[in-house]
Amino acid sequence: MTDQIREQMSALLDGELPSGEVGLLVRRMERDAELRRAFGVYVLAGESLRSPGGVTASPGFAARVAADIDDGAIGMRTDDPVAAPRTPLRWRRPLAAAAVAAGAALAAVLLVRPDADPGVPYAANAAQEAGAAFPALPVGGASPTPAQNQRLSGYLVVHGQYASPIGRRNIWSSALAADPGINRVGYENPEKP
Amino acid sequence: MKPMPNFPPVDGSTEPHEARDGDARPGSGVEQSDLELVRRVQRGERGAFDLLVLRYQHKVVKLVSRLLRDPSEAEDVAQEAFVKAYRALGSFRGDSAFYTWLYRIAVNTARNTMAARQRRPLAYEAELSENEQTVVESRMRHGDTPEATVLSDEIHRTVNSAVEELPEDLRTAIILREIEGLSYEEIAEAMDCPVGTVRSRIFRAREAIDRSLKPLLD
């Protein structure tokens, strides 16, 4: 049995193991240090035959890499260090500001709804969650005053001017546009039909 | 800013026999096998990455060592390259071979090290600082010692000796595979035997080499 597994391992090293057998073998090797050791020796033998006298990784190199990954709890990212060189942090600042502004706008819209029913659970939950962050805003079902409406509209207009063109047409824009509770005072040009 | 030094060829083709290494020829079984392992890592099978490290550790250390022209730093830089590769593996789409992608990461990591080295002021103090002491200890621990060089030579001698002692059919199979880089099918054709026999012969040759090396590596 062991010989059979080790022969599979040898074939894996040469890229000659049928795909269907790879999964089980990888899991076996993950559990079995002796199999990993032997695999390392197979690799070393090949390297030694191909390039006599060359530099090789010292014993335990692979274990150190594994420990480095485990110790640092390193996860996989989706950006490519080859294709994407290090980007300065400057771009993150406006992006973060836009994200905060969008979040604040959404919270404000959820909280300030002229036709909101106080019994609707999401409104109550939102009020509780946002209460600490926006203590001055009215919560519950109370209708906003015209001054509050005006202020909210002004905020949305300003936000729209600074948000990216892509962001202006996202799913939240559609949701806001469809919400009859949003009073878009002062947004459109009053002279246009 | 100082210009970056000229690097030798990335594929290490200064040695003719390495050009026909055959480990990962385009479209080869090894390339497919790498991709299979990469997909497994991407699905969360961490153990598959260990196998990729085992497969490419010597190549990457050798490449980095050539780029840096300083073997003492090679393992640390190679280790950093593998960790970077693991972190970035989620973005690997398989448009190029895994080893090509990995080598590019290793080259970039080596370049960063070279650049940092050029910025670093030279120290002439007789006594080592705490940081330098750590580096020296790290190098000693990682085997960059005269003893390690001797071990490397000894490994090479042992492997060659083990291959010389193999029965002819095993010796031919392992040489055609490891040195000439032929596929099992090509070896089967050359040796006029079934592919399964080739697979078995190569395995038995490796087992014999393993037995010879074991006392040395334990």
Side-chain angles (χ1 to χ4, degrees), chain B residues 149-210:
Chain B
T149 309
V150 171
L151 178 65
S152 181
D153 291 343
E154 188 65 24
I155 287 169
H156 175 62
R157 272 196 298 274
T158 308
V159 169
N160 274 291
S161 168
V163 169
E164 288 302 315
E165 287 169 17
L166 289 172
E168 191 191 334
D169 53 350
L170 302 195
R171 189 169 71 243
T172 306
I174 194 75
I175 285 173
L176 289 178
R177 172 61 216 158
E178 294 288 23
I179 300 180
E180 300 302 326
L182 301 189
S183 68
Y184 283 8
E185 203 173 322
E186 289 167 329
I187 297 170
E189 202 173 316
M191 295 184 74
D192 196 21
C193 66
V195 170
T197 305
V198 170
R199 173 170 145 155
S200 169
R201 285 175 180 171
I202 290 173
F203 162 64
R204 283 188 285 145
R206 284 179 172 146
E207 284 291 289
I209 296 170
D210 181 28

Side-chain angles (χ1 to χ4, degrees), chain B residues 36-51:
Chain B
E36 166 99 37
L37 291 173
V38 167
R39 296 287 176 248
R40 289 183 177 279
V41 181
Q42 289 173 336
R43 289 198 296 266
E45 286 187 48
R46 166 75 170 67
F49 189 73
D50 294 344
L51 301 188

Side-chain angles (χ1 to χ4, degrees), chain A residues 14 42 50-51 64 77, chain B residues 17 62 75 87 184 207:
Chain A
D14 295 328
Y42 292 175
R50 278 189 295 274
S51 52
R64 283 199 299 278
R77 297 180 318 205
Chain B
H17 59 270
K62 189 177 296 180
E75 286 215 356
R87 292 184 68 195
Y184 283 8
E207 284 291 289

Side-chain angles (χ1 to χ4, degrees), chain A residues 6 10 12-14 16 19 37 42 47 50-52 57-58 64 70 74 76-78 81-82, chain B residues 17 23 36 46 55 58-59 62 75 86-88 91 104 142 156 177-178 184 199 206-207 210:
Chain A
R6 289 167 79 107
S10 169
L12 174 72
L13 176 61
D14 295 328
E16 301 272 0
S19 184
R37 184 206 64 78
Y42 292 175
E47 290 297 324
R50 278 189 295 274
S51 52
S58 61
R64 283 199 299 278
D70 291 341
I74 294 165
M76 271 185 285
R77 297 180 318 205
T78 51
V82 173
Chain B
H17 59 270
D23 263 2
E36 166 99 37
R46 166 75 170 67
R55 176 178 273 167
H58 303 296
K59 284 181 166 52
K62 189 177 296 180
E75 286 215 356
Y86 178 76
R87 292 184 68 195
S91 70
R104 283 210 302 272
H142 291 185
H156 175 62
R177 172 61 216 158
E178 294 288 23
Y184 283 8
R199 173 170 145 155
R206 284 179 172 146
E207 284 291 289
D210 181 28

